[in-house]
Amino acid sequence: MVGNTPTIEAAAGALLRWYVLSLDLGSMWHNFHPHSTRWQLPSPPGGASDVHALSPAESFVADTVVPQPVRLP
């Protein structure tokens, strides 16, 4: 754990729903970027993303499926 970053543990194949919000009411933008996680973007534009910029007082919801672990031979 680094600073206020939580460690999230879940079984492979589980659906995770992220409720993300920025409580910063100033002029700062922040990035939501959980490592090794991608989610579908709504249409348009569609596609997938692994980072989302948050403006002050913005929120969004994202669903992702926990990937299978990478096992080295």
Side-chain angles (χ1 to χ4, degrees):
M1 189 149 132
V2 178
N4 66 349
T5 305
T7 299
I8 298 171
E9 295 183 23
L15 177 69
L16 291 179
R17 176 161 289 159
W18 304 83
Y19 297 91
V20 184
L21 60 131
S22 171
L23 296 177
D24 190 339
L25 298 176
S27 61
M28 296 296 295
W29 283 64
H30 302 279
N31 285 324
F32 173 70
H33 178 70
H35 290 250
S36 72
T37 301
R38 294 179 66 79
W39 57 86
Q40 291 298 118
L41 294 172
S43 298
S49 181
D50 65 353
V51 66
H52 184 78
L54 289 165
S55 64
E58 181 184 5
S59 65
F60 75 100
V61 177
D63 289 337
T64 188
V65 176
V66 177
Q68 292 289 330
V70 175
R71 301 196 188 278
L72 300 175

